[in-house]
Amino acid sequence: NWLDDVLQIRPTGNFENWGDGQYEFKVFDRAEDLYEALKAKNGDNKARLIAGYSWEWPTKGRERGGAVKHVQADGLALPWNYTGESWAAAKDGIGQVGCVHTSQGLEFDWMGVLIGDDLVWRDGAVQGEPAKRAKTDKSLSGWKGEFKAAEGDPAAQKAIMAKVDNIIKSTYRVLLSRGRKGCYVWCKDEGLREYFKKRLALAKSIPT
């Protein structure tokens, strides 16, 4: 419920004060700091790092032993999860980055989430930026053509953008809800980071 409200997917009635000390949700200013904190939680191999689709997802070159670091954020550079392997169960899974397709339906004790520049804070609202989505992302396939075809019909264009916005937000909702004990977050957009921090401060406050 809190994520739905924070991501502005839908307003919910019980989105604040959701259990101080019961769940660790933390926003990091630097991606490499998030990663170090996440690795410290990986003693039982139940911590994983996942990211949105701001980074290209190639079908080739993701085999073990490859030199490409697909996901680069601040001083952090790691490969997407290796092709043909169980990233979720791999002993070195913490050294790879999963996505919505490899993490949906799974849960881990500790989750780190990298939010790219396809989700930002603009004009007092959380907004999806489809143009910042990786070309390899198929979930938004065809949106530009639909938008252009609706030229001259503002209502239709608005509906298309609302659908696109919801897809982006829903992707991150999945990623942000995979951790059982805690979730560490880094946002490329500074405004979105600060917004998360403010909402988190409200969620952690206990009424007297």
Side-chain angles (χ1 to χ4, degrees):
N1 282 339
W2 185 75
L3 285 173
D4 281 349
D5 199 88
V6 168
L7 294 173
Q8 298 177 348
I9 295 174
R10 65 182 179 92
T12 59
N14 54 343
F15 52 84
E16 310 293 23
N17 305 320
W18 42 259
D20 296 71
Q22 297 177 30
Y23 189 87
E24 185 177 1
F25 193 102
K26 186 175 181 179
V27 181
F28 289 77
D29 290 326
R30 301 198 314 159
E32 55 265 48
D33 291 341
L34 179 154
Y35 187 54
E36 290 303 315
L38 190 66
K39 287 195 296 183
K41 296 288 189 181
N42 195 45
D44 55 1
N45 197 33
K46 292 184 179 179
R48 288 295 182 272
L49 182 65
I50 50 182
Y53 276 137
S54 287
W55 296 272
E56 297 294 334
W57 176 274
T59 55
K60 297 181 179 180
R62 289 186 23 246
E63 295 79 14
R64 178 177 290 276
V68 179
K69 306 297 184 183
H70 311 99
V71 180
Q72 299 188 22
D74 289 341
L76 182 66
L78 293 169
W80 283 117
N81 59 279
Y82 300 136
T83 299
E85 298 187 21
S86 175
W87 159 80
K91 292 182 179 179
D92 61 350
I94 191 67
Q96 307 162 44
V97 184
C99 71
V100 66
H101 297 303
T102 54
S103 61
Q104 194 163 9
L106 298 176
E107 290 184 332
F108 306 90
D109 283 353
W110 299 94
M111 181 57 65
V113 181
L114 303 178
I115 298 179
D117 51 12
D118 59 338
L119 192 69
V120 300
W121 177 258
R122 294 288 184 274
D123 302 321
V126 179
Q127 296 181 16
E129 292 283 347
K132 300 295 185 179
R133 202 81 155 179
K135 296 182 179 65
T136 49
D137 172 34
K138 302 302 181 184
S139 65
L140 300 183
S141 181
W143 80 269
K144 289 183 179 179
E146 290 182 23
F147 188 82
K148 187 175 181 180
E151 190 173 352
D153 187 345
Q157 289 188 325
K158 183 177 180 180
I160 291 168
M161 294 310 296
K163 179 177 70 173
V164 166
D165 189 69
N166 185 67
I167 290 173
I168 294 173
K169 290 178 179 179
S170 295
T171 297
Y172 282 113
R173 183 190 187 279
V174 171
L175 300 184
L176 291 163
S177 60
R178 299 301 91 190
R180 286 187 289 249
K181 296 181 179 179
C183 182
Y184 294 163
V185 183
W186 172 84
C187 310
K188 185 172 182 179
D189 181 67
E190 184 178 357
L192 189 62
R193 284 203 306 268
E194 294 307 311
Y195 166 69
F196 264 99
K197 289 177 184 178
K198 290 178 181 177
R199 290 302 305 268
L200 186 59
L202 289 174
K204 285 190 172 183
S205 63
I206 302 176
T208 56

